Amino acid sequence: MDHPSSYDVIVIGAGAAGMMCALTAGQRGRRALLLDHLDRAGAKILISGGGRCNFTNVEGDKADRYLCANPHFARSALGRYRPQDFIDLVEAHGIAWHEKTLGQLFCDGSARQIVAMLEDECAKGGVETKLQTRIAAISKPDGRFHVETPGATFVAPSLVIATGGPSIPKMGATGFAYDIARQFGLKVIEPRPALVPLTLGADDRLFESLSGVSLEVEARLGKVHFREAALFTHRGLSGPAILQISSYWRHGDSIAVDLLPGIDASALLTGAKRARPNAEPRTILRERFPDRLADVLADRLALTGALHGHKDAALAEAGRRLNGWGFTPSGSEGFAKAEVTIGGVSTEGLDQRSLMAKKAPGLHFIGEAVDVTGWLGGYNFQWAWASGRAAGESA
Ligand SMILES: Cc1cc2nc3c(=O)[nH]c(=O)nc-3n(C[C@H](O)[C@H](O)[C@H](O)COP(=O)(O)OP(=O)(O)OC[C@H]3O[C@@H](n4cnc5c(N)ncnc54)[C@H](O)[C@@H]3O)c2cc1C
């Protein structure tokens, strides 16, 4: 049998977190090996942000933008590698960027620049990258991790699992990290699709005709609310406001969608009745909504005929519904369409500074594999960079 090749650290998963971890370890002088089963590194980075990669958010170091069973866990890593640190790196590589809405930072050019930058930094750190490498087994027979692949076995005292979550399996996403976590005695919090379109059931079929219509809303679920665009799809609801709320949504929950955020719709309708009693409610709604949506809402609210024919109380009630339309989604579009996975390797078993497993010294979990999920808008990459950096500094 061939002698296994030895390294100081092996990183499995050449995505955002894995590349950041490998380049950090390499630039500290560690002999780092980066493995991935795909034929290219950074596949999800390439398709992110519509091809322009929303690489961070100016508020990306705020722990309350991340969902985790332990809301304090991410603070340490996020506090030590901040959005500005990544911006500095981007600028050092001459990559032009701009801020879109809500603090979201994008490349002016292409997400390919971010992947090229990370590859370049890996090269500076002497990282050895092996793509198209299937991991057959991992063991720790002698205090070091043995990573078996069909062609060779690699050995290192530090092993970092950066294989992400199962969202978008078509792109090579797997639940590999969870298998390894369980193998080494760590808990896994049930993974669920997040930042995902929601589907509507038979009761809301009327909205099918609105496929393609979008508008600014405030989506609410319990104490959480997001004011952004929503989009009607042929299966249900999407758009940033809905994707955001989907991370908090569980089967059976209803969400309230304020279709006129910042406007008292009851006052709008009753005021319109005084000012223009002969106008139809649908006309008033068409002044605020795309025509197709105004018509569906007027039908749903039974607002037919002139305004003067409607009692104030009925118009006020219709207004309340417009300010909090209740939807009970029948489900979500699942992992096939989810931008991220919520849940994953439980932070209970990880050290928050190094992301190392308390029960398995030398074994780290980073990025989306861990039960830390960011809001939409660059937060998930910021977690990937920050957790990758934290593990790379200690592995
Ligand atoms: C369409 C889309 C758009 C997105 N846009 C944004 C955005 O603009 N901004 C943002 O912040 N976030 C965005 N995200 C989320 C972001 O891409 C992820 O949060 C981030 O990529 C997670 O980084 P990661 O390194 O943990 O995992 P990944 O980037 O998923 O990397 C995991 C790597 O592990 C490899 N791997 C998996 N299983 C195995 C295995 N068994 N053996 C070997 N290798 C394996 C994969 O091939 C992959 O290269 C988007 C996601 C999607 C799907």
Side-chain angles (χ1 to χ4, degrees):
M1 196 186 115
D2 284 346
H3 270 302
S5 314
S6 296
Y7 294 85
D8 293 323
V9 47
I10 298 173
V11 181
I12 304 182
M19 280 198 278
M20 177 56 89
C21 178
L23 72 87
T24 303
Q27 292 180 13
R28 283 172 57 224
R30 313 279 285 157
R31 288 195 59 227
L33 173 67
L34 179 61
L35 302 173
D36 202 290
H37 63 172
L38 292 184
D39 61 359
R40 70 191 314 169
K44 274 195 187 163
I45 301 176
L46 292 173
I47 58 153
S48 68
R52 291 228 160 97
C53 186
N54 176 194
F55 55 79
T56 192
N57 191 293
V58 292
E59 307 219 309
D61 51 358
K62 293 196 171 159
D64 65 353
R65 307 300 159 89
Y66 298 84
L67 289 83
C68 175
N70 172 358
H72 305 293
F73 180 83
R75 254 177 235 282
S76 171
L78 291 171
R80 281 177 295 129
Y81 191 79
R82 294 176 186 271
Q84 189 58 49
D85 295 312
F86 196 76
I87 296 169
D88 290 345
L89 186 62
V90 163
E91 291 190 335
H93 282 257
I95 300 172
W97 57 273
H98 62 278
E99 182 173 339
K100 248 179 151 176
T101 51
L102 304 170
Q104 302 167 3
L105 307 189
F106 286 77
C107 297
D108 288 357
S110 158
R112 284 196 297 273
Q113 295 171 287
I114 299 291
V115 176
M117 173 187 89
L118 295 168
E119 286 174 335
D120 188 45
E121 292 288 327
C122 280
K124 276 187 206 161
V127 175
E128 206 178 308
T129 303
K130 290 186 192 294
L131 301 173
Q132 289 180 293
T133 302
R134 189 174 65 77
I135 313 301
I138 292 178
S139 58
K140 197 183 181 191
D142 55 7
R144 294 179 309 160
F145 293 93
H146 289 233
V147 177
E148 282 171 47
T149 73
T153 297
F154 306 104
V155 173
S158 289
L159 175 64
V160 183
I161 307 295
T163 49
S167 54
I168 323 263
K170 227 169 51 186
M171 292 194 59
T174 67
F176 178 83
Y178 311 149
D179 298 340
I180 303 305
R182 291 193 189 98
Q183 181 186 337
F184 286 92
L186 278 87
K187 277 199 227 152
V188 173
I189 296 189
E190 184 208 355
R192 292 180 289 123
L195 298 182
V196 64
L198 297 173
T199 54
L200 294 175
D203 278 358
D204 291 309
R205 280 283 140 76
L206 199 53
F207 291 96
E208 274 175 10
S209 63
L210 297 175
S211 182
V213 169
S214 82
L215 73 162
E216 190 186 335
V217 302
E218 184 173 275
R220 297 191 291 259
L221 178 57
K223 290 187 183 143
V224 205
H225 50 93
F226 294 96
R227 185 169 170 169
E228 285 187 68
L231 170 73
F232 290 94
T233 69
H234 65 286
R235 298 193 56 198
L237 295 168
S238 186
I242 302 301
L243 298 181
Q244 296 279 36
I245 217 83
S246 75
S247 299
Y248 295 84
W249 179 82
R250 293 204 174 239
H251 269 278
D253 286 346
S254 290
I255 56 173
V257 178
D258 185 345
L259 299 165
L260 283 172
I263 293 174
D264 179 341
S266 300
L268 176 80
L269 291 174
T270 51
K273 178 180 163 186
R274 309 264 176 278
R276 296 146 71 188
N278 293 323
E280 283 202 34
R282 151 182 338 252
T283 310
I284 308 302
L285 296 179
R286 280 182 171 214
E287 289 164 8
R288 302 280 172 175
F289 296 112
D291 289 358
R292 278 200 284 157
L293 175 58
D295 293 349
V296 166
L297 293 173
D299 290 346
R300 273 257 150 156
L301 294 168
L303 291 177
T304 49
L307 276 165
H308 66 74
H310 295 274
K311 292 205 168 91
D312 277 9
L315 291 176
E317 175 54 22
R320 275 191 291 279
R321 287 194 65 195
L322 292 173
N323 282 134
W325 200 280
F327 290 101
T328 305
S330 56
S332 82
E333 301 244 6
F335 283 118
K337 292 278 171 65
E339 272 197 22
V340 289
T341 305
I342 197 162
V345 179
S346 170
T347 57
E348 205 181 285
L350 300 177
D351 173 64
Q352 60 181 4
R353 239 192 121 67
S354 61
L355 283 301
M356 189 167 82
K358 293 173 192 164
K359 280 189 180 167
L363 178 63
H364 303 247
F365 291 86
I366 58 173
E368 198 180 317
V370 179
D371 170 37
V372 173
T373 308
W375 283 3
L376 186 79
Y379 295 98
N380 284 297
F381 279 137
Q382 188 56 35
W383 168 246
W385 315 136
S387 59
R389 174 57 60 124
E393 276 169 352
S394 103

